[in-house]
Amino acid sequence: MAKVGRQKELEAALRRLRGERADVSLEAAEIIVGVGLMVLTQFSGVTAIICFTSSILKSADFSTTFGSRAIAILQIPVTAVSVVLIDKSGRRPLLMVSASGMGLSSFLIGFSFLLQDLNQLKEVTPILVLIGLLIVY
């Protein structure tokens, strides 16, 4: 119901679940924010970058084996740190930092391929792509 904008029906369903006297407005707002975040995640492009990591590394003339391993090794500590940060800092600051990181990552990857197409600093292109991919993760 939250996905299609049926706010009143969402609150009515929550009242049936929690009881008629329960204040469900905060919970309904949290559900709507959660659904909104799921939708925004789809538009960020991170899924495409994850699926095409090997192709991106190969296009940048970078070792797909080394790049994939570096990303996989980095994911473990970053996931642990993100769990702690979510609890301590809350959603909003974490989302702002994540959006900024995704933007920076996309810029670096795009800029590195622009340099590659212009035959400028071709030796830097693989490193910029790897850094851009590491920022995404």
Side-chain angles (χ1 to χ4, degrees), residues 61-127:
D61 297 328
F62 197 83
S63 168
T64 57
T65 305
F66 177 77
S68 297
R69 286 182 183 166
I71 290 168
I73 289 170
L74 186 70
Q75 278 182 324
I76 296 167
V78 168
T79 301
V81 168
S82 68
V83 168
V84 172
L85 284 177
I86 289 170
D87 286 340
K88 290 190 178 198
S89 65
R91 275 189 299 233
R92 186 164 192 242
L94 196 59
L95 283 172
M96 292 170 68
V97 169
S98 297
S100 300
M102 188 66 196
L104 177 62
S105 172
S106 297
F107 174 78
L108 272 177
I109 293 171
F111 184 69
S112 65
F113 282 117
L114 175 68
L115 288 176
Q116 187 179 39
D117 286 346
L118 297 174
N119 292 323
Q120 301 284 322
L121 303 170
K122 285 190 94 162
E123 63 277 352
V124 177
T125 300
I127 296 166

Side-chain angles (χ1 to χ4, degrees), residues 8-25:
K8 298 287 182 198
E9 292 174 10
L10 171 66
E11 289 182 10
L14 285 172
R15 271 196 209 90
R16 271 188 305 228
L17 184 65
R18 304 284 183 237
E20 287 299 321
R21 293 185 174 190
D23 182 20
V24 295
S25 58

Side-chain angles (χ1 to χ4, degrees), residues 17-85:
L17 184 65
R18 304 284 183 237
E20 287 299 321
R21 293 185 174 190
D23 182 20
V24 295
S25 58
L26 180 62
E27 187 175 0
E30 289 175 353
I31 290 172
I32 291 170
V33 168
V35 170
L37 292 176
M38 290 187 327
V39 170
L40 286 176
T41 300
Q42 295 303 313
F43 290 118
S44 72
V46 72
T47 306
I49 289 178
I50 291 170
C51 291
F52 293 103
T53 297
S54 295
S55 300
I56 293 169
L57 289 169
K58 189 174 183 179
S59 296
D61 297 328
F62 197 83
S63 168
T64 57
T65 305
F66 177 77
S68 297
R69 286 182 183 166
I71 290 168
I73 289 170
L74 186 70
Q75 278 182 324
I76 296 167
V78 168
T79 301
V81 168
S82 68
V83 168
V84 172
L85 284 177

